[in-house]
Amino acid sequence: MLSPAQKPTLSLPVTIAEKQQQLLDELNLFQDWTERYQYVIDLGKKLAPMPEDLQTPDRLIKGCQSQVWLDSSFADGKVNYAADSDSLITKGMIALFVRVLDGQTPDDILQADMSFIDQTGLKEHLAPTRANALTLMAGQMKQHAIAFAGK
């Protein structure tokens, strides 16, 4: 039997860049873009449900074709996000960002290079309005981080 010191440890991604790379690696397992979209939709289905009382007009991300709600809280120096959408693909898209940014410090979120989303290959197969939504989502999440940056 292995002692605790000898047991292999799984290293979970900690930094935003590590989370982004893990997500890109997962998406690269799929050869076909429809499989990638299904994976993104599945991520959205796994997103923790956002309470309906938080799905208010002031939490809507303006400019998105679908309704996308975003809320955030701040605890122990970290930003925590809650999100939802009335569209499966859009919920999956916001889930990508929640997965990468949730639980990070405001400064790390503000410094994060969000162009990783371009490397997913998803934008090329989205309608222009949905592709624009990705930029709006990332921007809104950074705005929430700005609000917490001085705390």
Side-chain angles (χ1 to χ4, degrees):
M1 186 159 175
L2 295 175
S3 73
Q6 295 172 313
K7 287 185 179 178
T9 58
L10 295 175
S11 105
L12 297 173
V14 177
T15 68
I16 291 173
E18 289 171 339
K19 288 181 177 185
Q20 290 172 338
Q21 189 57 56
Q22 182 186 46
L23 192 57
L24 290 171
D25 291 345
E26 290 169 13
L27 286 168
N28 284 332
L29 294 173
F30 304 105
Q31 302 302 314
D32 185 280
W33 68 269
T34 56
E35 292 173 338
R36 286 181 179 204
Y37 277 111
Q38 187 57 54
Y39 182 75
V40 171
I41 288 169
D42 290 343
L43 285 177
K45 289 178 180 177
K46 293 176 188 172
L47 191 63
M50 183 177 190
E52 285 190 29
D53 63 323
L54 293 179
Q55 296 179 19
T56 57
D58 61 314
R59 291 183 176 92
L60 281 170
I61 296 178
K62 309 285 187 270
C64 290
Q65 182 178 4
S66 302
Q67 293 187 64
V68 184
W69 296 274
L70 178 67
D71 190 46
S72 60
S73 59
F74 187 67
D76 300 322
K78 311 275 181 173
V79 180
N80 299 293
Y81 293 100
D84 208 339
S85 177
D86 62 353
S87 159
L88 287 176
I89 189 65
T90 306
K91 186 171 181 174
M93 290 168 19
I94 193 74
L96 293 171
F97 291 114
V98 169
R99 180 172 163 185
V100 169
L101 299 177
D102 189 59
Q104 300 293 324
T105 67
D107 287 343
D108 287 343
I109 293 167
L110 294 173
Q111 293 173 19
D113 179 3
M114 299 308 287
S115 66
F116 86 97
I117 205 69
D118 296 332
Q119 298 171 44
T120 64
L122 298 172
K123 272 187 170 181
E124 296 140 25
H125 300 283
L126 287 172
T129 53
R130 290 222 193 265
N132 185 50
L134 289 167
T135 304
L136 294 170
M137 290 174 192
Q140 191 64 38
M141 293 179 92
K142 285 198 175 207
Q143 287 298 315
H144 283 237
I146 288 170
F148 296 123
K151 294 184 179 182

